[in-house]
Amino acid sequence: MYKQMGWLCVLLVASSYAAAKDDYFWGSYGGHQGYFEAPYFGVGFMANTWGEEIGFVGHSEYSGQLFYETPPTNQNTLIENNVQTGLPFYISVLKGYAPNDRIALYASMGLLLWNQCDVVESNATGDRYCSGQEGGAELIPGAGVLYNFGSLTAGFGYQYGIGPLLSVGTDF
């Protein structure tokens, strides 16, 4: 989880340097379909014809406190088997086309990453641990359109494993 957050910070800093005049920058909300049937939150940008979007799906099958380290003893009780923990992380690359300064179309290919494990409770401490961690990944194709209304940009897109997205942002 911390590694994902570190990469997210690096990508946000890199995307802020990549943004230039007349480039799109937006925030997205949507989802509620696809693999997790949960809301999606993301940010994206497109500079000239290339861009990226990063975000997360607001879904976790386990909501309690969980330790991602080895339990202190091997005397544990299985609480839940093979559950998705944490928030699934999404990153994509966009290739766009803007026939004029009012509209931009784009296609994307992204990667959705998540973590799943068995939740066990230590009989010694009562703490819950993530045992037998496995990562999941899925390629996510998508497409979208951005409309420019002066300095306001609005858009609509669809990501295959996530669902429809609405975007609001600006055109630098």
Side-chain angles (χ1 to χ4, degrees):
M1 180 71 170
Y2 294 112
K3 189 174 184 180
Q4 290 176 345
M5 296 304 276
W7 279 111
L8 177 64
C9 292
V10 168
L11 289 172
L12 283 174
V13 170
S15 65
S16 67
Y17 286 116
K21 188 169 176 54
D22 295 329
D23 296 335
Y24 296 99
F25 180 77
W26 65 88
S28 296
Y29 173 78
H32 299 284
Q33 293 180 3
Y35 298 115
F36 299 108
E37 297 183 5
Y40 168 82
F41 305 93
V43 294
F45 81 94
M46 190 163 61
N48 294 323
T49 61
W50 288 96
E52 72 175 292
E53 183 161 353
I54 54 177
F56 65 92
V57 179
H59 172 76
S60 180
E61 292 176 351
Y62 184 79
S63 60
Q65 183 179 7
L66 198 58
F67 295 99
Y68 291 91
E69 55 200 40
T70 306
T73 68
N74 60 359
Q75 297 174 348
N76 303 308
T77 304
L78 180 65
I79 302 298
E80 293 188 55
N81 187 24
N82 198 26
V83 296
Q84 182 260 318
T85 60
L87 299 176
F89 178 73
Y90 175 73
I91 182 168
S92 70
V93 175
L94 312 172
K95 176 64 175 158
Y97 169 70
N100 56 45
D101 62 352
R102 307 248 329 137
I103 189 170
L105 309 167
Y106 67 86
S108 67
M109 181 57 74
L111 189 62
L112 183 63
L113 305 166
W114 65 90
N115 184 46
Q116 56 194 54
C117 64
D118 297 334
V119 176
V120 297
E121 183 175 302
S122 170
N123 294 339
T125 64
D127 293 331
R128 294 190 175 184
Y129 294 87
C130 188
S131 175
Q133 289 188 65
E134 294 179 359
E138 190 73 36
L139 283 175
I140 305 291
V145 61
L146 299 168
Y147 301 99
N148 183 3
F149 303 100
S151 63
L152 175 68
T153 298
F156 176 79
Y158 186 83
Q159 307 296 338
Y160 171 72
I162 296 173
L165 305 176
L166 294 175
S167 304
V168 176
T170 187
D171 178 13
F172 292 66

